[in-house]
Amino acid sequence: MKSDAILERLLKLHPKKIDLALDRILALLEALGRPQDNLPPVVHVAGTNGKGSTIAFLRAILETANYTVHTYTSPHLVHFNERIRLAGELIEEEELSDVLYLCEYVNHGRPITYFEITTAAAFCAFSQTPADILLLECGLGGQFDATTVIDHPIATAITPISMDHMQFLGNTLSAIAFEKASIQRPGVPSIIASQAEEAAIVIKEFADRVGAPLTRHGIEWK
């Protein structure tokens, strides 16, 4: 498939698979005309365990209620297009190739990670297809993940946090929780799954600091 050839080239744009920063994707999105500003309302999901299943449950609930739903998840199992679901359907090969090539062309060979440039491509696809809501899975951490360029989600959710990608996020549960808590935004409801006490403390402190109203499992909801 044409998309496979493009993806193979995109893998070679940065010497590292993971290099947590936002400057590269922000520059690319600016050059693309800021597609992240033309998305349906976003629910942003971070955590260590259960992000994908949380999004699957949310999609099933929303579609049963007759909402049209985009989803962005990673990694894929077999084919890359599993990551991008447009209005309930997996993105078609032609559209996937088009947005990948557009991002490759506009990026013009500059260093950018695979996840960053493919996330930009997903935002392009989501901005071109109408939907009622976008369920957006955080790739790694939260603070410097490419998906956190979304400034104003309608809700954030944090699934259970455990020791996770310690070489990038830190060697303690508190440090990892801080990274993932960083998706919380001022005035945006934050729904929290059951957490270890150490992680729960960090999440609450971050929410209090930015003014994100918390709904925590075992406290505000059961």
Side-chain angles (χ1 to χ4, degrees):
M1 292 187 293
K2 184 179 178 182
S3 63
D4 290 340
I6 301 171
L7 290 165
E8 189 66 29
R9 295 196 299 268
L10 299 182
L11 277 169
K12 301 173 183 176
L13 290 173
H14 197 286
K16 297 180 181 178
K17 183 178 180 181
I18 297 172
D19 184 13
L20 295 178
L22 296 177
D23 57 326
R24 294 178 297 270
I25 187 171
L26 285 170
L28 176 56
L29 290 170
E30 196 69 33
L32 288 165
R34 299 183 60 85
Q36 74 273 27
D37 294 341
N38 296 303
L39 303 178
V42 172
V43 175
H44 199 187
V45 181
T48 303
N49 305 303
K51 297 190 298 293
S53 56
T54 297
I55 285 178
F57 277 117
L58 284 170
R59 180 168 73 87
I61 292 166
L62 290 162
E63 289 180 343
T64 299
N66 295 318
Y67 289 95
T68 305
V69 184
H70 291 334
T71 61
Y72 184 58
T73 57
S74 60
H76 56 278
L77 295 177
V78 181
H79 298 298
F80 182 89
N81 72 331
E82 296 166 27
R83 299 183 180 213
I84 302 171
R85 191 175 285 271
L86 299 177
E89 302 295 333
L90 294 179
I91 188 170
E92 297 286 346
E93 165 61 20
E94 182 177 0
E95 187 166 7
L96 176 59
S97 296
D98 286 347
V99 292
L100 289 172
Y101 181 75
L102 173 65
C103 289
E104 181 185 35
Y105 178 80
V106 171
N107 185 65
H108 202 62
R110 287 182 286 268
I112 190 168
T113 69
Y114 182 81
F115 186 74
E116 289 165 353
I117 196 167
T118 54
T119 296
F123 288 162
C124 289
F126 293 138
S127 70
Q128 295 166 9
T129 302
D132 297 314
I133 196 161
L134 165 58
L135 304 177
L136 182 66
E137 180 183 346
C138 197
L140 178 65
Q143 183 173 196
F144 297 110
D145 186 80
T147 62
T148 60
V149 298
I150 304 299
D151 290 328
H152 302 291
I154 57 168
T156 61
I158 301 176
T159 68
I161 296 170
S162 60
M163 303 306 285
D164 176 21
H165 294 289
M166 292 177 286
Q167 68 272 41
F168 301 108
L169 304 180
N171 292 318
T172 66
L173 192 59
S174 293
I176 294 168
F178 179 85
E179 294 294 324
K180 296 177 188 292
S182 299
I183 70 166
Q184 297 176 114
R185 294 288 184 264
V188 176
S190 179
I191 298 88
I192 310 300
S194 180
Q195 303 289 343
E197 183 178 2
E198 189 177 348
I201 290 169
V202 172
I203 291 168
K204 185 179 187 306
E205 287 176 348
F206 193 98
D208 289 345
R209 188 180 312 132
V210 301
L214 281 179
T215 304
R216 294 162 291 178
H217 179 262
I219 302 175
E220 288 85 14
W221 70 276
K222 292 182 168 60

